[in-house]
Amino acid sequence: MRLLKLVPENTNIHFLKWRNLAMAISFLMIMASIALVAVRGLNLGVDFVGGQMVRVTFKEAPNLDDLRSRVDTLGLGDTTIQQFGAPNEVTIRTPLPQGGEGASNQAAQALKKAVQAGYPDAKFGSVDAVSGKVSGELFRTGTYAMVLAMIAISIYIWFRFEWQFGLGALFALFHDVSLTFGFFALTQLEFDLNIVAAVLTIIGYSLNDTIVVYDRIRENLRKYRKMEIIPILDLSVNETLARTLMTSLTMIVALVALLVWGPEVIFGFTAAMLLGIFVGTYSSIYMAAPILVWAKVGPHSFVPKETGPALGAERMGRTEPMGES
Protein backbone atom coordinates (compact mmCIF):
# COMPACT_ATOMS: atom_id res chain seq x y z
CA MET A 1 0.00 0.00 0.00
CA ARG A 2 1.49 3.33 -1.09
CA LEU A 3 1.56 6.16 1.42
CA LEU A 4 -0.21 9.41 0.58
CA LYS A 5 2.29 12.19 -0.15
CA LEU A 6 1.06 15.76 -0.16
CA VAL A 7 4.43 17.02 -1.38
CA PRO A 8 6.50 15.18 -4.02
CA GLU A 9 10.05 14.21 -3.13
CA ASN A 10 12.91 16.49 -4.15
CA THR A 11 10.78 19.59 -4.65
CA ASN A 12 12.66 22.54 -6.10
CA ILE A 13 10.47 25.58 -5.47
CA HIS A 14 12.25 28.95 -5.53
CA PHE A 15 10.59 30.44 -2.46
CA LEU A 16 13.20 33.14 -1.89
CA LYS A 17 12.74 34.46 -5.41
CA TRP A 18 9.70 36.35 -4.11
CA ARG A 19 11.23 37.48 -0.84
CA ASN A 20 11.25 41.22 -1.64
CA LEU A 21 7.62 41.26 -2.76
CA ALA A 22 6.54 39.14 0.22
CA MET A 23 8.41 41.38 2.64
CA ALA A 24 6.86 44.52 1.13
CA ILE A 25 3.35 43.03 1.42
CA SER A 26 4.05 42.00 5.00
CA PHE A 27 5.23 45.50 5.94
CA LEU A 28 2.04 46.96 4.47
CA MET A 29 -0.10 44.45 6.35
CA ILE A 30 1.71 45.21 9.62
CA MET A 31 1.23 48.97 9.15
CA ALA A 32 -2.44 48.42 8.24
CA SER A 33 -2.94 46.30 11.37
CA ILE A 34 -1.35 48.94 13.59
CA ALA A 35 -3.54 51.61 11.98
CA LEU A 36 -6.69 49.53 12.49
CA VAL A 37 -5.89 49.00 16.17
CA ALA A 38 -5.16 52.73 16.60
CA VAL A 39 -8.27 53.94 14.74
CA ARG A 40 -10.94 51.31 15.42
CA GLY A 41 -9.47 49.82 18.58
CA LEU A 42 -10.13 46.37 19.98
CA ASN A 43 -13.54 45.24 21.18
CA LEU A 44 -12.24 44.43 24.64
CA GLY A 45 -14.26 41.89 26.54
CA VAL A 46 -15.46 42.17 30.08
CA ASP A 47 -12.22 40.48 31.19
CA PHE A 48 -10.28 43.64 30.30
CA VAL A 49 -12.69 46.54 30.73
CA GLY A 50 -14.64 45.32 33.73
CA GLY A 51 -18.41 45.24 34.09
CA GLN A 52 -21.16 42.75 33.52
CA MET A 53 -21.92 40.97 30.24
CA VAL A 54 -24.92 38.87 29.24
CA ARG A 55 -25.38 36.88 26.03
CA VAL A 56 -28.94 36.84 24.73
CA THR A 57 -30.36 34.68 21.92
CA PHE A 58 -33.57 35.79 20.17
CA LYS A 59 -35.91 33.87 17.91
CA GLU A 60 -35.38 36.53 15.23
CA ALA A 61 -32.85 39.32 14.87
CA PRO A 62 -33.91 42.11 17.29
CA ASN A 63 -34.07 45.85 16.63
CA LEU A 64 -30.88 47.02 18.34
CA ASP A 65 -32.14 50.60 18.79
CA ASP A 66 -35.30 49.36 20.49
CA LEU A 67 -33.28 46.95 22.61
CA ARG A 68 -30.87 49.71 23.62
CA SER A 69 -33.72 52.05 24.63
CA ARG A 70 -35.21 49.34 26.86
CA VAL A 71 -31.90 48.72 28.59
CA ASP A 72 -31.19 52.45 29.00
CA THR A 73 -34.39 52.91 31.01
CA LEU A 74 -32.80 50.82 33.78
CA GLY A 75 -30.17 53.48 34.44
CA LEU A 76 -27.30 51.01 34.62
CA GLY A 77 -24.86 53.40 32.97
CA ASP A 78 -23.03 53.30 29.65
CA THR A 79 -24.34 50.16 27.92
CA THR A 80 -22.81 48.40 24.91
CA ILE A 81 -25.01 46.17 22.74
CA GLN A 82 -23.46 44.19 19.89
CA GLN A 83 -24.35 41.29 17.66
CA PHE A 84 -22.39 38.18 18.52
CA GLY A 85 -22.09 35.54 15.81
CA ALA A 86 -25.53 35.12 14.23
CA PRO A 87 -27.85 38.16 13.74
CA ASN A 88 -30.20 36.86 16.46
CA GLU A 89 -27.41 36.63 19.06
CA VAL A 90 -26.54 39.73 21.06
CA THR A 91 -24.20 40.63 23.91
CA ILE A 92 -25.24 43.30 26.40
CA ARG A 93 -22.43 44.81 28.45
CA THR A 94 -23.11 47.15 31.36
CA PRO A 95 -20.92 48.72 34.06
CA LEU A 96 -20.58 46.69 37.24
CA PRO A 97 -22.97 48.15 39.83
CA GLN A 98 -21.79 49.17 43.29
CA GLY A 99 -22.75 46.94 46.17
CA GLY A 100 -21.04 43.64 45.48
CA GLU A 101 -22.49 40.37 44.26
CA GLY A 102 -26.00 41.08 45.49
CA ALA A 103 -26.24 44.29 43.46
CA SER A 104 -24.87 42.49 40.39
CA ASN A 105 -27.54 39.79 40.63
CA GLN A 106 -30.29 42.38 41.00
CA ALA A 107 -29.01 44.31 37.97
CA ALA A 108 -28.90 41.10 35.91
CA GLN A 109 -32.48 40.21 36.89
CA ALA A 110 -33.70 43.71 36.06
CA LEU A 111 -31.97 43.50 32.67
CA LYS A 112 -33.64 40.18 31.89
CA LYS A 113 -37.10 41.53 32.78
CA ALA A 114 -36.59 44.64 30.63
CA VAL A 115 -35.53 42.62 27.61
CA GLN A 116 -38.20 39.92 28.00
CA ALA A 117 -40.89 42.59 28.28
CA GLY A 118 -40.36 43.34 24.59
CA TYR A 119 -38.95 39.98 23.50
CA PRO A 120 -40.59 37.13 25.44
CA ASP A 121 -38.73 34.52 23.40
CA ALA A 122 -35.32 35.81 24.47
CA LYS A 123 -33.03 33.23 26.04
CA PHE A 124 -30.26 34.34 28.38
CA GLY A 125 -26.87 32.69 28.76
CA SER A 126 -24.43 33.01 31.61
CA VAL A 127 -23.68 36.37 33.21
CA ASP A 128 -19.98 37.31 33.35
CA ALA A 129 -18.88 39.95 35.86
CA VAL A 130 -15.38 41.33 36.46
CA SER A 131 -14.43 44.33 38.61
CA GLY A 132 -12.47 47.23 37.11
CA LYS A 133 -9.42 46.53 39.28
CA VAL A 134 -9.27 42.87 38.28
CA SER A 135 -9.80 43.68 34.61
CA GLY A 136 -6.90 46.16 34.63
CA GLU A 137 -4.61 43.57 36.21
CA LEU A 138 -5.68 40.97 33.66
CA PHE A 139 -4.93 43.33 30.77
CA ARG A 140 -1.47 44.18 32.11
CA THR A 141 -0.50 40.59 32.87
CA GLY A 142 -1.82 39.43 29.50
CA THR A 143 0.26 42.06 27.70
CA TYR A 144 3.35 41.20 29.75
CA ALA A 145 2.88 37.51 28.96
CA MET A 146 2.84 38.11 25.20
CA VAL A 147 5.80 40.52 25.17
CA LEU A 148 7.97 38.46 27.53
CA ALA A 149 7.20 35.26 25.61
CA MET A 150 8.42 36.85 22.36
CA ILE A 151 11.59 38.23 23.98
CA ALA A 152 12.42 34.97 25.78
CA ILE A 153 11.94 33.00 22.57
CA SER A 154 14.24 35.33 20.64
CA ILE A 155 16.94 35.06 23.32
CA TYR A 156 16.68 31.27 23.22
CA ILE A 157 17.08 31.20 19.44
CA TRP A 158 19.99 33.65 19.70
CA PHE A 159 21.89 31.23 21.97
CA ARG A 160 20.66 28.13 20.15
CA PHE A 161 21.74 29.42 16.72
CA GLU A 162 23.15 32.93 16.07
CA TRP A 163 21.92 36.45 16.75
CA GLN A 164 20.66 36.78 13.14
CA PHE A 165 18.32 33.84 13.71
CA GLY A 166 16.97 35.43 16.89
CA LEU A 167 16.29 38.65 14.99
CA GLY A 168 14.47 36.76 12.24
CA ALA A 169 12.33 34.82 14.74
CA LEU A 170 11.42 37.99 16.65
CA PHE A 171 10.34 39.77 13.49
CA ALA A 172 8.30 36.75 12.37
CA LEU A 173 6.55 36.62 15.74
CA PHE A 174 5.89 40.38 15.66
CA HIS A 175 4.40 39.92 12.19
CA ASP A 176 2.08 37.14 13.38
CA VAL A 177 0.91 38.98 16.51
CA SER A 178 0.37 42.26 14.61
CA LEU A 179 -1.80 40.61 11.97
CA THR A 180 -3.83 38.85 14.66
CA PHE A 181 -4.49 42.14 16.45
CA GLY A 182 -5.35 43.77 13.12
CA PHE A 183 -7.82 40.99 12.36
CA PHE A 184 -9.65 41.57 15.66
CA ALA A 185 -9.66 45.33 15.14
CA LEU A 186 -11.13 44.84 11.65
CA THR A 187 -13.81 42.29 12.59
CA GLN A 188 -14.52 43.71 16.08
CA LEU A 189 -14.74 40.22 17.49
CA GLU A 190 -14.54 40.29 21.26
CA PHE A 191 -10.96 40.36 22.55
CA ASP A 192 -10.78 38.62 25.92
CA LEU A 193 -8.51 36.26 27.85
CA ASN A 194 -9.32 33.44 25.43
CA ILE A 195 -7.77 35.48 22.63
CA VAL A 196 -4.64 36.14 24.72
CA ALA A 197 -4.35 32.38 25.10
CA ALA A 198 -4.80 32.04 21.33
CA VAL A 199 -2.06 34.61 20.64
CA LEU A 200 0.34 32.78 22.97
CA THR A 201 -0.51 29.53 21.18
CA ILE A 202 0.12 31.18 17.82
CA ILE A 203 3.51 32.37 19.09
CA GLY A 204 4.35 28.80 20.09
CA TYR A 205 3.17 27.33 16.78
CA SER A 206 5.02 29.89 14.68
CA LEU A 207 8.16 29.38 16.76
CA ASN A 208 8.00 25.61 16.32
CA ASP A 209 7.69 25.95 12.54
CA THR A 210 10.50 28.52 12.42
CA ILE A 211 12.80 26.35 14.55
CA VAL A 212 12.30 23.40 12.19
CA VAL A 213 13.30 25.52 9.18
CA TYR A 214 16.19 27.17 11.04
CA ASP A 215 17.59 23.85 12.19
CA ARG A 216 17.65 22.57 8.61
CA ILE A 217 19.25 25.84 7.44
CA ARG A 218 22.01 25.50 10.03
CA GLU A 219 22.59 21.89 9.05
CA ASN A 220 22.86 22.81 5.37
CA LEU A 221 25.14 25.76 6.10
CA ARG A 222 27.57 23.32 7.68
CA LYS A 223 27.10 20.73 4.96
CA TYR A 224 27.30 22.81 1.80
CA ARG A 225 29.95 25.38 2.52
CA LYS A 226 30.40 26.52 -1.08
CA MET A 227 26.72 27.05 -1.82
CA GLU A 228 25.32 30.59 -1.79
CA ILE A 229 22.94 31.55 1.01
CA ILE A 230 19.77 31.87 -1.12
CA PRO A 231 20.03 28.36 -2.64
CA ILE A 232 20.68 27.02 0.87
CA LEU A 233 17.53 28.71 2.18
CA ASP A 234 15.48 27.42 -0.74
CA LEU A 235 16.86 23.92 -0.22
CA SER A 236 16.07 24.00 3.51
CA VAL A 237 12.50 25.21 3.03
CA ASN A 238 11.89 22.56 0.37
CA GLU A 239 13.24 19.83 2.64
CA THR A 240 10.86 20.82 5.45
CA LEU A 241 7.88 21.56 3.19
CA ALA A 242 6.19 18.16 3.58
CA ARG A 243 6.33 18.38 7.37
CA THR A 244 5.05 21.97 7.35
CA LEU A 245 2.08 21.23 5.11
CA MET A 246 1.08 18.08 6.97
CA THR A 247 1.17 19.85 10.34
CA SER A 248 -0.74 22.88 9.04
CA LEU A 249 -3.44 20.87 7.28
CA THR A 250 -4.00 18.70 10.34
CA MET A 251 -4.51 21.80 12.47
CA ILE A 252 -6.73 23.47 9.87
CA VAL A 253 -9.08 20.47 9.63
CA ALA A 254 -9.59 20.45 13.40
CA LEU A 255 -10.00 24.22 13.65
CA VAL A 256 -12.50 24.46 10.78
CA ALA A 257 -14.62 21.82 12.50
CA LEU A 258 -14.52 23.82 15.75
CA LEU A 259 -15.29 27.04 13.90
CA VAL A 260 -18.39 25.59 12.23
CA TRP A 261 -19.75 23.27 14.93
CA GLY A 262 -17.97 24.40 18.10
CA PRO A 263 -19.59 26.39 20.91
CA GLU A 264 -19.86 30.16 20.63
CA VAL A 265 -17.64 30.77 23.63
CA ILE A 266 -14.55 29.57 21.71
CA PHE A 267 -15.45 31.13 18.35
CA GLY A 268 -12.93 33.98 18.73
CA PHE A 269 -10.22 31.63 19.98
CA THR A 270 -10.76 29.29 17.03
CA ALA A 271 -10.80 32.14 14.49
CA ALA A 272 -7.56 33.51 15.92
CA MET A 273 -5.90 30.09 15.81
CA LEU A 274 -7.02 29.49 12.22
CA LEU A 275 -5.55 32.83 11.17
CA GLY A 276 -2.40 32.06 13.15
CA ILE A 277 -1.81 28.80 11.25
CA PHE A 278 -1.72 30.67 7.94
CA VAL A 279 0.37 33.65 9.06
CA GLY A 280 2.69 31.45 11.15
CA THR A 281 3.47 29.17 8.21
CA TYR A 282 3.88 32.15 5.89
CA SER A 283 6.20 34.01 8.26
CA SER A 284 8.46 30.99 8.74
CA ILE A 285 9.20 31.03 5.01
CA TYR A 286 8.93 34.67 3.96
CA MET A 287 9.79 36.53 7.18
CA ALA A 288 12.25 34.45 9.18
CA ALA A 289 14.28 33.11 6.23
CA PRO A 290 14.82 36.30 4.13
CA ILE A 291 16.15 38.21 7.14
CA LEU A 292 19.09 35.80 7.17
CA VAL A 293 19.98 37.04 3.68
CA TRP A 294 20.02 40.69 4.73
CA ALA A 295 21.84 39.82 7.97
CA LYS A 296 24.54 38.19 5.78
CA VAL A 297 24.38 34.74 7.32
CA GLY A 298 26.59 32.25 5.51
CA PRO A 299 28.66 29.11 5.97
CA HIS A 300 31.26 31.21 7.80
CA SER A 301 28.73 31.70 10.63
CA PHE A 302 29.20 28.13 11.83
CA VAL A 303 32.14 25.92 12.56
CA PRO A 304 31.52 22.69 10.64
CA LYS A 305 31.28 19.50 12.64
CA GLU A 306 31.91 17.38 9.59
CA THR A 307 32.98 17.95 6.04
CA GLY A 308 30.17 17.92 3.51
CA PRO A 309 30.26 17.73 -0.29
CA ALA A 310 32.36 20.29 -2.10
CA LEU A 311 29.34 21.75 -3.81
CA GLY A 312 25.86 21.80 -2.32
CA ALA A 313 24.34 21.53 -5.78
CA GLU A 314 25.63 17.96 -5.98
CA ARG A 315 23.04 16.88 -3.44
CA MET A 316 20.13 14.86 -4.86
CA GLY A 317 21.71 15.03 -8.30
CA ARG A 318 21.50 18.86 -8.60
CA THR A 319 24.15 20.32 -10.87
CA GLU A 320 22.98 23.94 -10.67
CA PRO A 321 22.11 26.22 -7.76
CA MET A 322 18.46 26.11 -6.79
CA GLY A 323 17.82 29.83 -6.85
CA GLU A 324 19.29 33.19 -7.57
CA SER A 325 22.56 34.10 -5.98
Side-chain angles (χ1 to χ4, degrees):
M1 180 177 178
R2 297 183 61 183
L3 297 177
L4 174 65
K5 292 185 178 180
L6 297 177
V7 180
E9 294 182 357
N10 301 332
T11 56
N12 189 17
I13 303 173
H14 303 284
F15 289 101
L16 274 292
K17 179 180 180 180
W18 308 102
R19 65 186 184 280
N20 293 326
L21 177 61
M23 189 64 74
I25 293 174
S26 295
F27 268 115
L28 290 175
M29 293 178 68
I30 290 173
M31 297 305 296
S33 297
I34 294 173
L36 281 170
V37 173
V39 174
R40 300 195 61 178
L42 296 171
N43 178 24
L44 296 177
V46 68
D47 294 336
F48 293 144
V49 297
Q52 192 165 256
M53 186 178 68
V54 182
R55 290 188 175 90
V56 189
T57 303
F58 299 86
K59 188 175 182 180
E60 296 180 356
N63 185 318
L64 295 184
D65 292 334
D66 176 68
L67 187 60
R68 185 173 288 105
S69 64
R70 292 178 181 277
V71 176
D72 288 343
T73 59
L74 300 175
L76 298 176
D78 187 17
T79 302
T80 302
I81 300 178
Q82 291 180 321
Q83 287 184 340
F84 177 80
N88 65 325
E89 297 173 351
V90 173
T91 60
I92 303 175
R93 185 187 304 152
T94 61
L96 197 65
Q98 300 294 329
E101 184 176 351
S104 298
N105 292 334
Q106 291 179 3
Q109 292 300 322
L111 178 63
K112 291 181 180 180
K113 290 180 181 180
V115 174
Q116 287 180 333
Y119 303 90
D121 59 341
K123 296 181 180 179
F124 290 80
S126 61
V127 179
D128 299 326
V130 179
S131 69
K133 181 179 179 181
V134 172
S135 64
E137 293 177 354
L138 290 174
F139 186 80
R140 286 193 299 273
T141 54
T143 303
Y144 293 156
M146 288 186 288
V147 173
L148 292 177
M150 293 172 64
I151 294 175
I153 286 168
S154 301
I155 293 174
Y156 163 76
I157 295 177
W158 183 346
F159 284 98
R160 183 73 173 81
F161 298 95
E162 294 289 334
W163 69 267
Q164 298 97 326
F165 290 81
L167 180 64
L170 182 61
F171 184 76
L173 294 178
F174 178 76
H175 166 271
D176 300 343
V177 173
S178 298
L179 265 58
T180 303
F181 274 72
F183 169 77
F184 277 89
L186 177 64
T187 60
Q188 287 297 293
L189 288 172
E190 186 176 310
F191 193 95
D192 54 18
L193 282 177
N194 288 335
I195 309 307
V196 173
V199 172
L200 291 173
T201 307
I202 291 170
I203 290 174
Y205 177 86
S206 178
L207 168 69
N208 180 66
D209 204 33
T210 300
I211 288 291
V212 170
V213 176
Y214 273 178
D215 196 54
R216 187 56 58 90
I217 291 172
R218 182 178 62 171
E219 177 184 333
N220 287 333
L221 283 170
R222 289 169 169 167
K223 203 170 186 180
Y224 307 117
R225 298 186 57 78
K226 293 187 179 181
M227 184 186 286
E228 297 291 337
I229 181 60
I230 291 177
I232 286 181
L233 296 180
D234 274 332
L235 172 63
S236 302
V237 173
N238 276 277
E239 288 179 339
T240 58
L241 187 59
R243 178 262 176 204
T244 298
L245 286 181
M246 181 60 71
T247 304
S248 299
L249 287 177
T250 303
M251 293 285 292
I252 288 171
V253 169
L255 290 170
V256 169
L258 284 175
L259 195 69
V260 176
W261 295 292
E264 297 171 1
V265 70
I266 62 169
F267 182 85
F269 175 88
T270 308
M273 283 297 302
L274 192 59
L275 174 68
I277 297 300
F278 287 102
V279 298
T281 303
Y282 168 84
S283 65
S284 297
I285 297 173
Y286 284 112
M287 297 290 100
I291 286 181
L292 301 182
V293 179
W294 296 315
K296 301 188 183 303
V297 173
H300 60 278
S301 303
F302 298 92
V303 177
K305 293 182 178 179
E306 58 183 7
T307 302
L311 292 174
E314 293 176 1
R315 187 176 185 271
M316 295 189 296
R318 292 189 177 96
T319 57
E320 296 179 0
M322 290 178 52
E324 60 187 75
S325 59

